[in-house]
Coordinates of all heavy atoms in Angstrom, one line a residue:
M1 N -12.5 5.1 -9.3 CA -12.6 5.3 -7.8 C -11.9 4.1 -7.2 O -12.1 2.9 -7.6 CB -14.1 5.3 -7.5 CG -14.3 5.4 -6.0 SD -15.7 6.5 -5.8 CE -15.5 7.0 -4.2
P2 N -11.1 4.4 -6.2 CA -10.4 3.3 -5.5 C -11.4 2.3 -4.8 O -12.4 2.7 -4.3 CB -9.5 4.0 -4.4 CG -9.5 5.4 -4.8 CD -10.7 5.6 -5.6
N3 N -11.0 1.0 -4.7 CA -11.8 0.1 -4.0 C -11.6 0.2 -2.5 O -10.8 1.1 -2.1 CB -11.5 -1.4 -4.5 CG -10.1 -1.8 -4.2 OD1 -9.5 -1.4 -3.2 ND2 -9.5 -2.6 -5.0
Q4 N -12.3 -0.5 -1.8 CA -12.3 -0.4 -0.3 C -10.9 -0.6 0.2 O -10.4 0.1 1.1 CB -13.3 -1.3 0.4 CG -13.3 -1.1 1.9 CD -14.4 -1.9 2.6 OE1 -15.2 -2.5 2.0 NE2 -14.4 -1.8 3.9
A5 N -10.2 -1.7 -0.2 CA -8.8 -2.0 0.3 C -7.9 -0.8 -0.1 O -7.1 -0.4 0.8 CB -8.3 -3.3 -0.3
E6 N -7.9 -0.4 -1.3 CA -7.0 0.7 -1.7 C -7.3 2.0 -0.9 O -6.4 2.7 -0.4 CB -7.2 1.0 -3.2 CG -6.2 2.1 -3.6 CD -6.2 2.3 -5.2 OE1 -6.5 1.3 -5.9 OE2 -5.8 3.4 -5.6
F7 N -8.6 2.3 -0.7 CA -9.0 3.4 0.1 C -8.5 3.3 1.6 O -7.9 4.3 2.1 CB -10.5 3.6 0.1 CG -11.0 4.7 1.0 CD1 -11.0 6.0 0.6 CD2 -11.6 4.4 2.2 CE1 -11.4 7.1 1.4 CE2 -12.0 5.5 3.1 CZ -11.9 6.8 2.6
R8 N -8.7 2.2 2.2 CA -8.3 2.0 3.6 C -6.8 2.1 3.7 O -6.3 2.7 4.7 CB -8.8 0.7 4.1 CG -10.3 0.6 4.2 CD -10.8 -0.7 4.7 NE -10.5 -0.9 6.1 CZ -10.5 -2.0 6.8 NH1 -10.7 -3.2 6.1 NH2 -10.3 -2.1 8.1
L9 N -6.0 1.5 2.8 CA -4.5 1.6 2.8 C -4.1 3.1 2.7 O -3.2 3.5 3.3 CB -3.9 0.7 1.8 CG -4.1 -0.8 2.0 CD1 -3.8 -1.6 0.7 CD2 -3.3 -1.3 3.2
G10 N -4.7 3.8 1.8 CA -4.4 5.2 1.6 C -4.7 6.0 2.8 O -4.0 6.9 3.2
Q11 N -5.9 5.7 3.5 CA -6.2 6.4 4.7 C -5.2 6.1 5.8 O -4.9 7.0 6.6 CB -7.6 6.0 5.2 CG -8.7 6.5 4.3 CD -8.8 8.0 4.3 OE1 -8.9 8.7 5.3 NE2 -8.6 8.6 3.1
Y12 N -4.7 4.9 5.9 CA -3.7 4.6 6.9 C -2.5 5.5 6.7 O -2.0 6.0 7.7 CB -3.3 3.1 6.7 CG -2.2 2.7 7.6 CD1 -2.4 2.2 8.9 CD2 -0.8 2.8 7.2 CE1 -1.4 1.8 9.8 CE2 0.2 2.5 8.1 CZ -0.1 2.0 9.3 OH 1.0 1.6 10.2
T13 N -2.1 5.7 5.5 CA -0.9 6.5 5.2 C -1.1 8.0 5.4 O -0.2 8.8 5.7 CB -0.2 6.3 3.9 OG1 -1.2 6.6 2.8 CG2 0.2 4.8 3.7
L14 N -2.4 8.4 5.3 CA -2.7 9.8 5.7 C -2.6 10.0 7.2 O -2.2 11.0 7.7 CB -4.1 10.2 5.2 CG -4.3 10.4 3.7 CD1 -5.7 10.6 3.3 CD2 -3.4 11.6 3.3
M15 N -3.1 8.9 8.0 CA -3.0 9.0 9.4 C -1.6 8.8 10.0 O -1.3 9.3 11.1 CB -3.9 7.9 10.0 CG -5.4 8.2 9.7 SD -6.5 6.9 10.4 CE -6.4 7.2 12.1
R16 N -0.8 8.2 9.2 CA 0.6 7.9 9.6 C 1.6 8.4 8.4 O 2.1 7.5 7.7 CB 0.8 6.4 9.9 CG 0.0 6.0 11.1 CD 0.4 4.7 11.6 NE -0.4 4.4 12.8 CZ -0.4 3.3 13.4 NH1 0.3 2.3 13.0 NH2 -1.1 3.1 14.5
P17 N 1.7 9.7 8.2 CA 2.4 10.2 7.1 C 3.9 9.9 7.1 O 4.6 10.1 6.1 CB 2.1 11.7 7.1 CG 1.8 12.0 8.6 CD 1.1 10.8 9.1
Q18 N 4.4 9.4 8.2 CA 5.8 9.1 8.3 C 6.1 7.7 7.8 O 7.3 7.3 7.8 CB 6.3 9.2 9.7 CG 5.9 8.2 10.7 CD 4.4 8.3 11.2 OE1 3.7 9.2 10.8 NE2 4.0 7.4 12.1
E19 N 5.0 7.0 7.4 CA 5.2 5.6 6.9 C 4.9 5.4 5.5 O 4.1 6.2 4.9 CB 4.3 4.6 7.7 CG 4.7 4.4 9.1 CD 3.8 3.3 9.8 OE1 3.4 2.4 9.1 OE2 3.7 3.4 11.0
V20 N 5.5 4.4 4.9 CA 5.2 4.0 3.5 C 4.7 2.6 3.6 O 5.3 1.8 4.4 CB 6.4 4.1 2.6 CG1 6.1 3.5 1.2 CG2 6.9 5.5 2.5
L21 N 3.7 2.2 2.8 CA 3.3 0.8 2.8 C 3.7 0.3 1.4 O 3.5 0.9 0.4 CB 1.8 0.7 2.9 CG 1.2 1.1 4.2 CD1 -0.3 0.9 4.2 CD2 1.8 0.3 5.4
L22 N 4.3 -0.9 1.4 CA 4.6 -1.6 0.1 C 3.7 -2.8 0.1 O 3.9 -3.7 1.0 CB 6.1 -2.0 0.0 CG 7.1 -0.9 -0.2 CD1 8.5 -1.5 -0.4 CD2 6.7 -0.1 -1.5
V23 N 2.8 -2.9 -0.8 CA 1.9 -4.0 -0.9 C 2.2 -4.9 -2.0 O 2.4 -4.4 -3.2 CB 0.4 -3.4 -1.1 CG1 -0.6 -4.5 -1.3 CG2 0.1 -2.5 0.1
K24 N 2.4 -6.1 -1.7 CA 2.7 -7.1 -2.7 C 1.3 -7.8 -3.0 O 0.6 -8.2 -2.1 CB 3.7 -8.2 -2.2 CG 5.1 -7.6 -2.0 CD 6.0 -8.6 -1.3 CE 7.3 -8.0 -1.0 NZ 7.3 -7.2 0.2
A25 N 1.0 -7.8 -4.3 CA -0.3 -8.3 -4.7 C -0.2 -9.0 -6.0 O 0.7 -8.8 -6.8 CB -1.3 -7.1 -4.9
E26 N -1.2 -9.9 -6.2 CA -1.4 -10.6 -7.5 C -2.5 -9.9 -8.3 O -3.6 -9.8 -7.8 CB -1.7 -12.0 -7.3 CG -1.7 -12.8 -8.6 CD -1.9 -14.3 -8.4 OE1 -1.3 -14.8 -7.5 OE2 -2.7 -14.8 -9.2
V27 N -2.2 -9.3 -9.4 CA -3.1 -8.6 -10.3 C -3.2 -9.3 -11.6 O -2.2 -9.3 -12.3 CB -2.8 -7.1 -10.4 CG1 -3.7 -6.4 -11.3 CG2 -2.7 -6.4 -9.0
A28 N -4.3 -9.8 -12.0 CA -4.5 -10.5 -13.3 C -3.4 -11.5 -13.5 O -2.9 -11.6 -14.6 CB -4.5 -9.4 -14.4
G29 N -3.1 -12.3 -12.5 CA -2.2 -13.4 -12.6 C -0.7 -13.0 -12.6 O 0.2 -13.8 -12.7
E30 N -0.4 -11.7 -12.4 CA 0.9 -11.2 -12.3 C 1.2 -10.5 -11.0 O 0.3 -9.9 -10.4 CB 1.2 -10.2 -13.4 CG 1.1 -10.8 -14.8 CD 1.4 -9.7 -15.9 OE1 2.0 -8.7 -15.6 OE2 1.1 -10.0 -17.1
L31 N 2.4 -10.7 -10.5 CA 2.8 -10.0 -9.3 C 3.0 -8.5 -9.5 O 3.5 -8.1 -10.5 CB 4.1 -10.6 -8.7 CG 4.0 -12.1 -8.2 CD1 5.3 -12.6 -7.7 CD2 3.0 -12.2 -7.1
D32 N 2.6 -7.8 -8.5 CA 2.7 -6.3 -8.5 C 3.1 -5.8 -7.2 O 2.9 -6.5 -6.2 CB 1.4 -5.7 -8.9 CG 1.5 -4.2 -9.3 OD1 2.7 -3.7 -9.3 OD2 0.5 -3.6 -9.6
Q33 N 3.8 -4.7 -7.1 CA 4.2 -4.1 -5.9 C 3.7 -2.7 -5.9 O 4.0 -1.9 -6.9 CB 5.7 -4.2 -5.6 CG 6.1 -3.7 -4.2 CD 7.6 -4.1 -4.0 OE1 8.4 -4.0 -4.8 NE2 7.8 -4.4 -2.7
I34 N 2.9 -2.3 -4.9 CA 2.3 -1.0 -4.9 C 2.7 -0.2 -3.7 O 2.6 -0.8 -2.6 CB 0.7 -1.1 -5.0 CG1 0.3 -1.9 -6.2 CG2 0.1 0.3 -4.9 CD1 -1.1 -2.4 -6.2
A35 N 3.2 1.0 -3.9 CA 3.6 1.9 -2.8 C 2.4 2.8 -2.4 O 1.8 3.4 -3.3 CB 4.8 2.6 -3.1
F36 N 2.2 2.9 -1.1 CA 1.2 3.9 -0.6 C 2.0 4.9 0.3 O 2.7 4.5 1.2 CB 0.1 3.2 0.3 CG -0.9 2.4 -0.5 CD1 -0.6 1.1 -0.9 CD2 -2.1 2.9 -0.8 CE1 -1.5 0.4 -1.7 CE2 -3.0 2.2 -1.6 CZ -2.7 0.9 -2.0
F37 N 1.8 6.2 0.0 CA 2.4 7.2 0.8 C 1.5 8.4 0.8 O 1.1 8.9 -0.2 CB 3.8 7.5 0.2 CG 4.6 8.5 1.0 CD1 5.0 8.3 2.3 CD2 5.0 9.7 0.4 CE1 5.7 9.2 3.0 CE2 5.8 10.6 1.1 CZ 6.1 10.4 2.4
K38 N 1.2 8.9 2.0 CA 0.4 10.1 2.2 C -0.9 10.1 1.4 O -1.3 11.1 0.8 CB 1.2 11.4 1.9 CG 2.4 11.6 2.9 CD 3.1 12.9 2.7 CE 4.2 13.0 3.8 NZ 4.9 14.3 3.7
G39 N -1.5 8.9 1.4 CA -2.8 8.8 0.7 C -2.8 8.4 -0.7 O -3.8 8.2 -1.3
Y40 N -1.6 8.4 -1.4 CA -1.5 8.1 -2.8 C -0.9 6.7 -3.0 O -0.1 6.2 -2.2 CB -0.7 9.1 -3.5 CG -1.3 10.5 -3.6 CD1 -1.0 11.5 -2.6 CD2 -2.3 10.8 -4.5 CE1 -1.6 12.7 -2.7 CE2 -2.9 12.0 -4.6 CZ -2.6 13.0 -3.6 OH -3.2 14.2 -3.7
A41 N -1.3 6.1 -4.1 CA -0.8 4.8 -4.5 C -0.2 4.8 -5.8 O -0.7 5.5 -6.7 CB -2.0 3.7 -4.5
S42 N 0.9 4.0 -6.0 CA 1.6 4.0 -7.3 C 2.2 2.6 -7.4 O 2.8 2.1 -6.5 CB 2.7 5.0 -7.3 OG 3.3 5.0 -8.6
S43 N 2.0 2.0 -8.6 CA 2.6 0.7 -8.8 C 4.1 0.9 -9.1 O 4.5 1.8 -9.8 CB 1.9 0.0 -10.0 OG 2.6 -1.2 -10.4
L44 N 4.9 0.0 -8.6 CA 6.3 0.0 -8.8 C 6.7 -0.9 -9.9 O 7.9 -0.9 -10.3 CB 7.0 -0.3 -7.5 CG 6.8 0.6 -6.3 CD1 7.6 0.1 -5.1 CD2 7.1 2.0 -6.6
T45 N 5.7 -1.7 -10.4 CA 6.1 -2.7 -11.5 C 5.3 -2.6 -12.8 O 5.6 -3.2 -13.7 CB 5.9 -4.1 -10.9 OG1 4.6 -4.3 -10.5 CG2 6.9 -4.4 -9.8
R46 N 4.3 -1.8 -12.8 CA 3.5 -1.6 -14.0 C 3.1 -0.1 -14.1 O 3.2 0.6 -13.1 CB 2.3 -2.5 -14.1 CG 1.3 -2.4 -13.0 CD 0.2 -3.5 -13.0 NE -0.6 -3.4 -11.8 CZ -1.7 -2.7 -11.7 NH1 -2.1 -2.0 -12.7 NH2 -2.3 -2.7 -10.6
P47 N 2.6 0.4 -15.2 CA 2.3 1.8 -15.4 C 1.1 2.1 -14.4 O 0.2 1.3 -14.2 CB 1.8 1.9 -16.8 CG 2.4 0.8 -17.5 CD 2.5 -0.3 -16.5
T48 N 1.2 3.4 -13.9 CA 0.1 3.9 -13.0 C -0.6 5.0 -13.8 O 0.1 5.9 -14.4 CB 0.7 4.4 -11.7 OG1 1.3 3.4 -11.0 CG2 -0.4 5.0 -10.8
A49 N -1.9 5.0 -13.9 CA -2.7 6.0 -14.6 C -2.4 7.3 -14.0 O -2.2 7.5 -12.8 CB -4.1 5.6 -14.6
F50 N -2.5 8.4 -14.9 CA -2.3 9.7 -14.4 C -3.6 10.2 -13.6 O -3.5 11.1 -12.7 CB -2.2 10.7 -15.6 CG -0.8 10.6 -16.2 CD1 -0.7 10.0 -17.5 CD2 0.3 11.0 -15.6 CE1 0.6 9.9 -18.1 CE2 1.6 10.9 -16.1 CZ 1.7 10.3 -17.4
D51 N -4.7 9.6 -13.9 CA -6.0 9.9 -13.2 C -6.0 9.3 -11.8 O -6.1 8.0 -11.7 CB -7.2 9.4 -14.0 CG -8.5 9.8 -13.5 OD1 -8.6 10.3 -12.3 OD2 -9.5 9.6 -14.2
P52 N -6.0 10.1 -10.7 CA -6.0 9.5 -9.4 C -7.3 8.8 -9.0 O -7.3 8.1 -8.0 CB -5.7 10.7 -8.5 CG -6.2 11.9 -9.3 CD -5.9 11.5 -10.7
D53 N -8.3 9.0 -9.8 CA -9.6 8.3 -9.5 C -9.6 6.8 -10.1 O -10.5 6.1 -9.7 CB -10.8 9.0 -10.1 CG -11.0 10.3 -9.4 OD1 -10.7 10.4 -8.2 OD2 -11.5 11.3 -10.0
L54 N -8.6 6.5 -10.9 CA -8.5 5.1 -11.4 C -7.8 4.3 -10.4 O -6.7 4.7 -9.9 CB -7.8 5.1 -12.7 CG -8.5 5.7 -13.9 CD1 -7.7 5.7 -15.1 CD2 -9.9 5.0 -14.1
P55 N -8.3 3.1 -10.0 CA -7.7 2.3 -9.0 C -6.3 1.7 -9.4 O -6.1 1.3 -10.6 CB -8.7 1.1 -8.7 CG -9.5 1.1 -10.0 CD -9.5 2.5 -10.5
V56 N -5.4 1.7 -8.5 CA -4.1 1.1 -8.7 C -4.1 -0.4 -8.3 O -3.5 -1.2 -8.8 CB -3.0 1.9 -7.9 CG1 -1.6 1.2 -8.1 CG2 -2.9 3.3 -8.4
L57 N -5.0 -0.6 -7.3 CA -5.2 -2.0 -6.7 C -6.6 -2.4 -7.1 O -7.5 -2.0 -6.4 CB -5.0 -1.9 -5.2 CG -5.1 -3.2 -4.4 CD1 -3.9 -4.1 -4.8 CD2 -5.0 -3.0 -2.9
P58 N -6.7 -3.1 -8.2 CA -8.1 -3.5 -8.6 C -8.8 -4.4 -7.6 O -8.2 -5.1 -6.8 CB -7.8 -4.3 -9.9 CG -6.4 -4.1 -10.3 CD -5.7 -3.7 -9.0
D59 N -10.2 -4.4 -7.7 CA -11.0 -5.2 -6.8 C -10.6 -6.7 -6.9 O -10.6 -7.4 -5.8 CB -12.5 -5.1 -7.2 CG -13.1 -3.7 -6.8 OD1 -12.6 -3.2 -5.8 OD2 -14.0 -3.3 -7.5
E60 N -10.2 -7.2 -8.0 CA -9.9 -8.6 -8.2 C -8.5 -9.0 -7.7 O -8.1 -10.1 -7.7 CB -10.1 -9.1 -9.6 CG -9.2 -8.4 -10.6 CD -9.7 -7.1 -11.2 OE1 -10.8 -6.6 -10.7 OE2 -9.0 -6.5 -12.0
A61 N -7.7 -8.0 -7.3 CA -6.4 -8.2 -6.8 C -6.4 -9.0 -5.5 O -7.3 -8.9 -4.7 CB -5.6 -6.9 -6.6
T62 N -5.4 -9.8 -5.4 CA -5.2 -10.6 -4.1 C -4.0 -10.0 -3.4 O -2.9 -10.0 -4.0 CB -4.9 -12.1 -4.4 OG1 -6.1 -12.6 -5.1 CG2 -4.7 -12.8 -3.1
I63 N -4.2 -9.4 -2.2 CA -3.1 -8.9 -1.4 C -2.3 -10.0 -0.8 O -2.9 -10.8 0.0 CB -3.6 -7.9 -0.4 CG1 -4.2 -6.7 -1.1 CG2 -2.4 -7.4 0.5 CD1 -4.9 -5.7 -0.2
L64 N -1.0 -10.1 -1.1 CA -0.2 -11.2 -0.6 C 0.5 -10.9 0.7 O 0.6 -11.7 1.6 CB 0.8 -11.7 -1.6 CG 0.2 -12.0 -3.0 CD1 1.3 -12.3 -4.0 CD2 -0.7 -13.3 -2.9
A65 N 1.0 -9.7 0.8 CA 1.7 -9.2 2.0 C 1.9 -7.7 2.0 O 1.9 -7.1 0.9 CB 3.1 -9.9 2.1
I66 N 2.1 -7.1 3.2 CA 2.3 -5.7 3.3 C 3.5 -5.5 4.2 O 3.6 -6.1 5.2 CB 1.0 -5.0 3.9 CG1 -0.2 -5.3 3.1 CG2 1.2 -3.5 4.2 CD1 -1.5 -4.9 3.7
D67 N 4.3 -4.6 3.7 CA 5.5 -4.1 4.5 C 5.3 -2.7 4.9 O 4.8 -1.9 4.1 CB 6.8 -4.2 3.6 CG 7.2 -5.6 3.2 OD1 6.7 -6.6 3.8 OD2 7.9 -5.7 2.2
R68 N 5.6 -2.4 6.1 CA 5.6 -1.0 6.7 C 7.0 -0.5 6.7 O 7.9 -1.2 7.2 CB 5.0 -1.0 8.1 CG 3.6 -1.4 8.2 CD 3.1 -1.4 9.6 NE 3.4 -0.2 10.4 CZ 4.1 -0.2 11.5 NH1 4.4 -1.4 12.1 NH2 4.4 0.9 12.1
L69 N 7.3 0.7 6.1 CA 8.6 1.3 6.0 C 8.5 2.7 6.6 O 7.5 3.3 6.5 CB 9.1 1.3 4.6 CG 9.4 -0.1 4.0 CD1 8.2 -0.5 3.1 CD2 10.6 0.0 3.1
E70 N 9.7 3.1 7.0 CA 9.9 4.5 7.4 C 10.0 5.3 6.1 O 10.7 5.0 5.2 CB 11.1 4.6 8.2 CG 11.4 6.0 8.8 CD 12.6 6.0 9.6 OE1 12.9 5.1 10.4 OE2 13.4 7.0 9.5
G71 N 9.2 6.4 6.0 CA 9.2 7.3 4.8 C 10.2 8.4 5.0 O 10.7 8.6 6.1
P72 N 10.6 9.0 3.9 CA 10.2 8.6 2.5 C 10.9 7.4 2.1 O 12.0 7.0 2.6 CB 10.6 9.9 1.7 CG 11.7 10.5 2.5 CD 11.4 10.2 3.9
F73 N 10.4 6.7 1.1 CA 10.9 5.5 0.6 C 12.1 5.7 -0.3 O 12.1 6.4 -1.3 CB 9.8 4.8 -0.2 CG 10.2 3.5 -0.8 CD1 10.6 2.4 -0.1 CD2 10.1 3.3 -2.2 CE1 11.0 1.2 -0.6 CE2 10.5 2.1 -2.8 CZ 10.9 1.1 -2.0
D74 N 13.1 5.0 0.0 CA 14.3 5.0 -0.8 C 14.6 3.5 -1.2 O 15.0 2.7 -0.3 CB 15.6 5.5 -0.1 CG 16.9 5.4 -0.9 OD1 16.9 4.9 -2.0 OD2 17.9 6.0 -0.4
P75 N 14.3 3.1 -2.4 CA 14.4 1.7 -2.8 C 15.8 1.1 -2.6 O 16.0 -0.1 -2.5 CB 14.0 1.7 -4.3 CG 14.1 3.1 -4.8 CD 13.9 3.9 -3.6
N76 N 16.8 2.0 -2.6 CA 18.2 1.5 -2.4 C 18.6 1.3 -1.0 O 19.5 0.5 -0.7 CB 19.2 2.5 -3.0 CG 19.1 2.6 -4.5 OD1 18.9 1.6 -5.2 ND2 19.1 3.8 -5.1
H77 N 17.8 1.9 -0.1 CA 18.1 1.8 1.4 C 16.8 1.8 2.1 O 16.5 2.7 2.9 CB 19.0 3.0 1.9 CG 20.3 3.0 1.2 ND1 20.5 3.8 0.1 CD2 21.4 2.3 1.5 CE1 21.8 3.6 -0.3 NE2 22.3 2.7 0.5
P78 N 15.9 0.8 1.9 CA 14.6 0.7 2.6 C 14.8 0.6 4.1 O 15.7 -0.2 4.6 CB 13.9 -0.5 2.0 CG 15.0 -1.3 1.5 CD 16.2 -0.4 1.1
R79 N 14.0 1.2 4.9 CA 14.1 1.2 6.4 C 12.7 0.5 6.8 O 11.7 1.2 7.0 CB 14.3 2.5 7.0 CG 15.6 3.2 6.6 CD 15.8 4.6 7.1 NE 14.7 5.5 6.9 CZ 14.6 6.4 6.0 NH1 15.6 6.5 5.1 NH2 13.5 7.2 5.9
Y80 N 12.8 -0.8 7.0 CA 11.6 -1.6 7.3 C 11.2 -1.4 8.8 O 12.1 -1.5 9.7 CB 11.8 -3.1 7.0 CG 11.8 -3.4 5.6 CD1 13.0 -3.4 4.9 CD2 10.7 -3.6 4.9 CE1 13.1 -3.7 3.5 CE2 10.7 -3.8 3.5 CZ 11.9 -3.9 2.8 OH 11.9 -4.1 1.5
L81 N 10.0 -1.2 9.1 CA 9.4 -1.2 10.4 C 8.8 -2.6 10.7 O 8.9 -3.1 11.9 CB 8.3 -0.1 10.6 CG 8.8 1.3 10.3 CD1 7.6 2.2 10.3 CD2 9.8 1.7 11.4
E82 N 8.2 -3.2 9.7 CA 7.6 -4.5 9.8 C 7.4 -5.1 8.4 O 7.1 -4.3 7.5 CB 6.2 -4.4 10.5 CG 5.6 -5.6 11.0 CD 4.4 -5.4 11.8 OE1 4.0 -4.2 12.1 OE2 3.8 -6.4 12.3
Q83 N 7.7 -6.4 8.3 CA 7.6 -7.0 7.0 C 6.6 -8.2 6.9 O 6.4 -8.8 7.9 CB 9.0 -7.5 6.6 CG 10.0 -6.4 6.2 CD 11.3 -7.0 5.8 OE1 12.2 -7.3 6.6 NE2 11.5 -7.2 4.5
A84 N 6.1 -8.4 5.7 CA 5.3 -9.6 5.4 C 4.1 -9.7 6.3 O 3.8 -10.8 6.8 CB 6.2 -10.9 5.4
I85 N 3.4 -8.6 6.5 CA 2.1 -8.7 7.3 C 1.1 -9.2 6.3 O 0.9 -8.7 5.2 CB 1.8 -7.2 7.7 CG1 2.9 -6.6 8.5 CG2 0.5 -7.3 8.6 CD1 2.7 -5.1 8.7
S86 N 0.3 -10.1 6.8 CA -0.8 -10.7 6.0 C -1.9 -9.6 5.9 O -2.0 -8.7 6.8 CB -1.4 -11.9 6.6 OG -2.1 -11.6 7.8
W87 N -2.7 -9.7 4.8 CA -3.9 -8.8 4.7 C -4.8 -8.9 5.9 O -5.3 -7.9 6.4 CB -4.6 -9.0 3.3 CG -5.8 -8.2 3.1 CD1 -7.0 -8.6 2.7 CD2 -5.9 -6.8 3.2 NE1 -7.9 -7.6 2.6 CE2 -7.2 -6.4 2.9 CE3 -5.1 -5.7 3.6 CZ2 -7.7 -5.1 2.9 CZ3 -5.5 -4.4 3.6 CH2 -6.9 -4.1 3.2
E88 N -5.0 -10.1 6.3 CA -5.9 -10.3 7.5 C -5.4 -9.6 8.7 O -6.2 -8.9 9.4 CB -6.1 -11.8 7.8 CG -6.9 -12.6 6.7 CD -6.1 -12.8 5.4 OE1 -4.8 -12.8 5.4 OE2 -6.7 -13.0 4.3
A89 N -4.1 -9.7 9.0 CA -3.5 -9.1 10.2 C -3.6 -7.6 10.0 O -3.8 -6.8 11.0 CB -2.1 -9.6 10.4
F90 N -3.3 -7.1 8.8 CA -3.3 -5.6 8.6 C -4.7 -5.1 8.7 O -4.9 -3.9 9.2 CB -2.7 -5.3 7.2 CG -2.2 -3.9 7.2 CD1 -0.9 -3.6 7.7 CD2 -2.9 -2.8 6.7 CE1 -0.4 -2.3 7.7 CE2 -2.4 -1.5 6.7 CZ -1.2 -1.3 7.2
Q91 N -5.7 -5.8 8.3 CA -7.1 -5.4 8.5 C -7.4 -5.2 9.9 O -8.2 -4.2 10.3 CB -8.1 -6.4 7.8 CG -8.1 -6.3 6.3 CD -9.1 -7.2 5.7 OE1 -10.2 -6.9 5.6 NE2 -8.7 -8.4 5.4
A92 N -6.9 -6.0 10.8 CA -7.1 -5.9 12.2 C -6.5 -4.6 12.7 O -7.1 -3.8 13.5 CB -6.6 -7.1 13.0
L93 N -5.3 -4.2 12.2 CA -4.6 -3.0 12.6 C -5.4 -1.8 12.1 O -5.6 -0.8 12.8 CB -3.2 -3.0 12.0 CG -2.4 -1.6 12.1 CD1 -2.2 -1.3 13.5 CD2 -1.1 -1.7 11.3
L94 N -5.9 -1.9 10.8 CA -6.8 -0.8 10.3 C -8.0 -0.6 11.2 O -8.4 0.6 11.5 CB -7.2 -1.1 8.8 CG -6.1 -1.1 7.8 CD1 -6.6 -1.7 6.5 CD2 -5.5 0.3 7.6
A95 N -8.7 -1.7 11.5 CA -9.9 -1.6 12.4 C -9.5 -0.9 13.7 O -10.3 -0.1 14.3 CB -10.5 -2.9 12.6
A96 N -8.4 -1.3 14.3 CA -8.0 -0.8 15.6 C -7.7 0.7 15.6 O -7.9 1.4 16.6 CB -6.7 -1.5 16.1
I97 N -7.3 1.3 14.4 CA -7.1 2.7 14.4 C -8.3 3.5 13.7 O -8.2 4.6 13.4 CB -5.8 3.1 13.7 CG1 -5.8 2.6 12.2 CG2 -4.6 2.5 14.4 CD1 -4.6 3.2 11.4
G98 N -9.4 2.7 13.4 CA -10.6 3.3 12.9 C -10.6 3.6 11.5 O -11.3 4.5 11.0
V99 N -9.9 2.8 10.7 CA -9.9 2.9 9.2 C -10.7 1.7 8.6 O -10.4 0.6 8.9 CB -8.5 3.0 8.6 CG1 -8.5 3.0 7.1 CG2 -7.8 4.2 9.2

């Protein structure tokens, strides 16, 4: 089951299906980049479990920054809306839209 941060980020992308979130996080001492799109999360740097009930962003992960992009995501030509948003600032945005 996704943790609260993963759930909230997924809900954001359900409410804004035209956006992709790229989350830079530290997971078990390693950097990870996780894409959120239309409620789903997938790691771009490590294997993602086939079971959608298994968290991609573990509870012990530290969110370092969040980028907002125009979807769909094309890694060769990303279209950034906003970059390097802190987790604290993004939580304020989530609260403002009721997530």
Side-chain angles (χ1 to χ4, degrees):
M1 177 142 203
N3 65 34
Q4 185 174 353
E6 183 172 335
F7 176 78
R8 292 177 76 198
L9 292 165
Q11 289 299 302
Y12 175 90
T13 62
L14 285 173
M15 293 177 75
R16 296 191 175 175
Q18 73 283 3
E19 288 187 31
V20 176
L21 297 178
L22 287 182
V23 177
K24 294 173 186 77
E26 185 176 319
V27 178
E30 295 183 15
L31 292 179
D32 194 0
Q33 190 169 37
I34 301 166
F36 285 83
F37 183 60
K38 294 186 178 183
Y40 292 97
S42 181
S43 174
L44 301 179
T45 55
R46 59 188 174 88
T48 300
F50 289 110
D51 184 349
D53 290 331
L54 293 176
V56 177
L57 184 66
D59 287 329
E60 64 275 2
T62 302
I63 296 174
L64 305 172
I66 300 171
D67 296 338
R68 294 176 49 234
L69 294 96
E70 186 179 317
F73 177 60
D74 178 353
N76 296 318
H77 300 95
R79 297 179 311 259
Y80 289 94
L81 300 170
E82 194 172 359
Q83 290 183 271
I85 308 166
S86 71
W87 176 230
E88 291 75 23
F90 204 83
Q91 287 182 85
L93 172 62
L94 293 170
I97 64 169
V99 174

